Amino acid sequence: LLVVPLLSYASPTSDKLLAEGSQPLAQQHYEQALEKFREARQADPSDPETWFFEGLALNRLGRYTEALERLNEAVKRQSSQADLDFELGWTLLKLNRWEEALAALERYNNNHPGRGQANEFAGRAYLNLGRYAQAQEAFKKALEQDQDLRPTVLFYMARLAQEQKNTGLAQES
């Protein structure tokens, strides 16, 4: 599911630039999308959606620290984007900020249940926190919601099994 800017209460210039950025975003041309979203933010820095979409593009480009800065500004400016908590969770996960990632992903899941990738990300955070039962449950939900996640989820479930085995061996010593 890809979020595209539809309606905003911003300047006509930033609205136009957000719309122009949505096409390259949909085509996974993230640098081009980022350029338009950055121009939109510069045209109207008071518009929270410009911050959100710039953060989203930075997230897709793997520039997580910058993405987090933009997404936090979107939060401060009260963005109405449904995927804001998902994007925050993803970014925080990539920055190894497990607890914060979980909080954002849980907010997202509470408001928008059914997105497998959100549960897969939550599973990764639980795994890194050593909360193995919760990780397993999150991975199971992710597969129920989206079979396309199967290769990734199976990879993390194998890692989960290895972590549980290592923990069991450590406890036996």
Side-chain angles (χ1 to χ4, degrees):
L1 181 65
L2 185 62
V3 182
V4 289
L6 297 174
L7 176 66
S8 139
Y9 298 101
S11 72
T13 303
S14 68
D15 278 346
K16 178 180 177 281
L17 290 164
L18 286 174
E20 288 175 12
S22 67
Q23 185 175 4
L25 179 66
Q27 296 170 343
Q28 299 180 356
H29 298 267
Y30 302 124
E31 284 288 351
Q32 290 174 310
L34 176 60
E35 186 178 314
K36 292 297 178 184
F37 298 150
R38 183 169 287 139
E39 288 177 37
R41 178 182 52 81
Q42 290 168 344
D44 188 356
S46 66
D47 179 6
E49 309 323 321
T50 64
W51 294 91
F52 170 79
F53 283 102
E54 189 176 348
L56 182 147
L58 287 163
N59 205 12
R60 298 302 180 280
L61 290 166
R63 294 164 55 183
Y64 303 114
T65 300
E66 292 173 87
L68 184 59
E69 291 168 4
R70 301 319 185 277
L71 295 170
N72 280 335
E73 279 298 322
V75 169
K76 286 181 196 171
R77 296 167 191 276
Q78 301 178 330
S79 171
S80 62
Q81 290 297 321
D83 279 355
L84 181 55
D85 281 324
F86 176 81
E87 291 296 326
L88 277 168
W90 182 351
T91 302
L92 290 161
L93 180 74
K94 289 298 197 170
L95 293 171
N96 300 334
R97 292 168 62 175
W98 318 123
E99 291 287 354
E100 292 170 275
L102 274 174
L105 292 164
E106 286 171 0
R107 281 191 310 271
Y108 180 82
N109 278 330
N110 287 338
N111 293 318
H112 309 283
R115 185 169 182 177
Q117 195 173 26
N119 283 303
E120 185 240 319
F121 287 168
R124 290 193 215 179
Y126 285 128
L127 174 60
N128 284 296
L129 288 167
R131 293 161 60 181
Y132 302 137
Q134 290 169 298
Q136 188 166 4
E137 184 61 32
F139 291 141
K140 181 180 169 191
K141 269 188 191 176
L143 282 179
E144 289 170 0
Q145 294 167 332
D146 187 348
Q147 281 294 312
D148 290 341
L149 296 172
R150 189 170 178 75
T152 305
V153 170
L154 291 178
F155 170 81
Y156 283 103
M157 288 182 80
R159 191 171 145 216
L160 170 63
Q162 186 62 44
E163 290 287 329
Q164 288 174 312
K165 180 180 174 187
N166 290 344
T167 301
L169 291 174
Q171 289 174 350
E172 289 175 16
S173 304

